[in-house]
Amino acid sequence: MATARSFDVELAALESLRNAEPASTLEPLRKALAHRNNFIVAKAAKLAALHGQQGLIEALATAFYRFLPNEKKPDPQCWAKTALAEALAAFEYQDEGLFLAGMHHFQPEASWGPPVDSAGQLRGVCALALVQCRSLSSVDVLTHLTPLFADKILPVRVNAARAVEQIGNDAATLLLRLRAELGSDEAELLGACYSGVLRLEGLRALAWAGRFLAGGVNGPDETSAEAAFAIADTRMEEAFTLLHATWKQTRYPEFRETLLTAMAMTRQERAVEFLLAEATDGNRAARQALESSAPGEEILARLRAL
C-alpha cells in the first residue's frame, strides 16, 4: 500500500511539471529518467520533448539502453523505450545505433493466447527516426528499412513505407512502386505506398495509381478505396477526372460512394459542381460526401438551399 502511495505521489509530481516553466523542469526530469519504473520514465520522456529539453538527450539515450534488454522485462509494453525513442527523434538525435537497436527489438509478452510482441510501435518509431540520421547514406537507410516490409505487425510495415517515402529519391520511389505492385498485404500498407509514390512523383504517377482502382469496379475491394483516397489527396484536377471516369464505369454502390467521397476530397471546382448536381438530383451520397469535406460557407448555403 505504501509503495502504491509513493508511486502516485511521484506520478503527480511529474505531471505537475507539464505546465511549469521549462527551465525549472530540467533536473526533476533528469531524476525521473533514472527511475526504475518504466511508466515514470515514459512520462518523463514525453515531458522532456514537450519542454524542448535538449540538455537531457544523453539521459534519454542512457535510459533507452537501460531498458533495452529483455531478460528481466523491465519495460512492459515497451512504454519507456517507445517514449524515449520518440523524444530522441524529436530532438533529431544522430546516433543511428540507438534507432537500429530499436528497429531490431522484439519483446514477446504473455497474453491469453500465444505471446504478443509489444515492440511493434517502437520499431516503427525508430524506422521513421533513422531517416534523419545524417551519417547514413540513402542506400544505407533503405537497406535497413527494407526488411521491415516483412514485419509481422502491420503498423511497422506502414511506418516502413512512410520512412521510405521520406528518403524521397528515385530508389525510394521504385521500392514503394514495387511493394504496391506485389500486393498481397493489408490495404493500409498498400495505400501508404500509393500515397508515397504520388507525393514523390505527382502527375507522372497518376495513371499508375489509377490502375489500382479497377478492383473496386465489380465488388468490395479495400485496396481500391485506398487508391481512390491517395489519388484524391493530390488535389489535382486530373485526379477528379480519373475518379469521375471510374465512378461512371462502376455500378457497385459501396465503391461509388467511396469515389464520391474521394472526389469531394480533391476540392476541385469541377468536383464541387458535379457533386452539387448529383445532390440536386437526389443523390444523398453526393450530398454527404460534400458535407464531410468541410466545405466553405458558400457551398453549405447551396446545400441548404436544396
Side-chain angles (χ1 to χ4, degrees):
M1 184 68 71
T3 302
R5 280 199 298 267
S6 174
F7 175 81
D8 289 341
V9 169
E10 289 179 292
L11 192 59
L14 195 55
E15 186 59 35
S16 70
L17 299 177
R18 181 172 299 277
N19 298 316
E21 287 294 321
S24 69
T25 66
L26 181 63
E27 292 310 317
L29 289 176
R30 190 189 305 279
K31 181 180 178 181
L33 288 170
H35 203 284
R36 62 179 295 184
N37 183 277
N38 70 324
F39 189 77
I40 292 285
V41 172
K43 179 77 73 173
K46 292 176 182 178
L47 289 171
L50 175 68
H51 289 300
Q53 292 287 12
Q54 297 207 27
L56 293 174
I57 286 178
E58 185 176 344
L60 290 162
T62 298
F64 181 89
Y65 283 114
R66 179 163 56 88
F67 282 103
L68 191 59
N70 271 338
E71 289 79 6
K72 296 181 180 179
K73 291 187 171 56
D75 185 21
Q77 301 303 311
C78 277
W79 285 333
K81 291 187 292 291
T82 302
L84 290 161
E86 288 174 336
L88 288 165
F91 293 144
E92 298 188 7
Y93 186 62
Q94 291 297 304
D95 182 1
E96 70 274 8
L98 183 145
F99 296 124
L100 287 171
M103 283 173 57
H104 297 142
H105 185 73
F106 294 84
Q107 188 164 306
E109 298 195 27
S111 69
W112 288 108
V116 174
D117 178 15
S118 67
Q121 185 180 356
L122 171 65
R123 293 198 295 279
V125 167
C126 290
L128 290 166
L130 189 71
V131 179
Q132 69 190 15
C133 292
R134 293 184 288 274
S135 62
L136 295 175
S137 70
S138 59
V139 174
D140 291 333
V141 178
L142 286 172
T143 300
H144 290 302
L145 291 175
T146 300
L148 293 186
F149 280 110
D151 198 282
K152 292 182 179 180
I153 297 179
L154 174 61
V156 180
R157 303 197 297 275
V158 172
N159 274 347
R162 291 172 178 160
V164 168
E165 179 194 340
Q166 288 183 20
I167 295 171
N169 60 15
D170 290 344
T173 305
L174 289 172
L175 180 57
L176 291 174
R177 277 179 173 261
L178 174 61
R179 188 62 198 85
E181 294 282 358
L182 291 173
S184 302
D185 208 319
E186 298 290 338
E188 185 181 353
L189 171 64
L190 299 177
C193 293
Y194 306 149
S195 296
V197 172
L198 284 165
R199 279 191 285 266
L200 292 172
E201 293 193 18
L203 181 59
R204 186 175 66 174
L206 196 60
W208 171 81
R211 291 169 35 211
F212 299 101
L213 295 171
V217 171
N218 297 314
D221 184 81
E222 292 183 11
T223 60
S224 296
E226 291 286 348
F229 294 135
I231 289 167
D233 197 44
T234 68
R235 298 196 176 181
M236 294 186 289
E237 184 174 355
E238 294 84 355
F240 164 71
T241 301
L242 177 57
L243 294 167
H244 181 242
T246 307
W247 180 82
K248 290 195 295 184
Q249 291 171 8
T250 182
R251 290 293 174 264
Y252 187 69
E254 183 177 334
F255 191 47
R256 284 171 68 85
E257 291 182 11
T258 296
L259 290 166
L260 290 171
T261 301
M263 282 186 263
M265 288 171 57
T266 67
R267 295 184 175 275
Q268 288 291 323
E269 184 176 348
R270 287 176 57 210
V272 172
E273 293 302 326
F274 165 72
L275 291 167
L276 282 170
E278 284 292 313
T280 302
D281 289 341
N283 188 332
R284 304 186 90 183
R287 181 188 185 109
Q288 290 171 351
L290 267 179
E291 290 174 341
S292 67
S293 67
E297 186 55 40
E298 179 185 351
I299 304 304
L300 285 174
R302 292 175 68 178
L303 284 172
R304 285 193 291 268
L306 297 178

